[in-house]
Amino acid sequence: PLGEDIATINKLSQNLHAELLLRRLGVAKGTGSIADGQAVVEAMLAEAGVSDAQVSLSDGSGMSSYNRVAPRATLRLLQFAAHQPWGASFRASLPIGGVDGTLRRRFAGTPLEGKVFAKTGPLNATYALAGWLVAASGRTLTFAIYANDVPEDVRATAIMDRALLALAAAN
């Protein structure tokens, strides 16, 4: 089922499934090509209020170094998703900090354990984490944090995690 496959894509970062999903979207409106799948994604991004200038997609998995997504576009898309009938299911498909998926070790033993629902995105000295977190106040915050062109000796994910812990504590 589609929902289970999306959970596999998000929780395990299963890139082949993401590529196949893009083609499956393309079948809905065309031949099943990458271009047809991208047209479906671009239409949904436009509906979410994300401008063409904020996103450039080359593939379905996010593995291409030609993909570009502005943090503001990611925030807008997440805010849009949160208000859709499928929003809760999408959030449930994301890794949970300190609990499962690609975040099972991150945030474990911290105040954000079980309170971060986010997709990771490491690729070629670039790191990303975007989703929702439950702050100390109980408020749910939407976030997108990226670190680009990070030298190998810098622990970008640890720095990003500390920033999110500080954000959660202050809110």
Side-chain angles (χ1 to χ4, degrees):
L2 180 60
E4 289 178 26
D5 201 37
I6 289 173
T8 297
I9 290 167
N10 287 337
K11 287 195 182 279
L12 304 178
S13 203
Q14 178 43 266
N15 298 311
L16 175 59
H17 288 232
E19 281 293 333
L20 294 173
L21 178 58
L22 181 70
R23 287 167 174 77
R24 177 73 174 116
L25 291 173
V27 168
K29 299 282 182 173
T31 65
S33 68
I34 291 172
D36 289 340
Q38 286 173 327
V40 172
V41 171
E42 288 165 0
M44 193 254 333
L45 290 172
E47 182 183 349
V50 176
S51 76
D52 292 342
Q54 295 177 312
V55 178
S56 177
L57 300 176
S58 180
D59 65 6
S61 69
M63 295 296 293
S64 172
S65 58
Y66 293 107
N67 290 318
R68 298 286 185 269
V69 180
R72 189 174 307 272
T74 302
L75 283 175
R76 182 69 196 111
L77 180 59
L78 290 169
Q79 290 165 342
F80 171 80
H83 294 95
Q84 300 307 305
W86 44 265
S89 295
F90 176 71
R91 179 175 154 166
S93 80
L94 296 172
I96 303 168
V99 175
D100 67 9
T102 56
L103 291 179
R104 70 186 166 281
R105 291 185 186 100
R106 289 175 71 176
F107 303 104
T110 74
L112 283 178
E113 182 172 349
K115 295 181 179 179
V116 174
F117 310 87
K119 180 70 183 87
T120 58
L123 178 67
N124 299 334
T126 297
Y127 302 87
L129 186 64
W132 296 275
L133 64 81
V134 179
S137 68
R139 289 179 45 213
T140 298
L141 306 177
T142 308
F143 70 90
I145 185 168
Y146 299 0
N148 292 315
D149 297 320
V150 178
E152 286 184 34
D153 61 340
V154 173
R155 299 228 357 138
T157 56
I159 294 167
M160 292 165 65
D161 292 356
R162 283 196 307 269
L164 291 175
L165 283 160
L167 177 69
N171 288 283

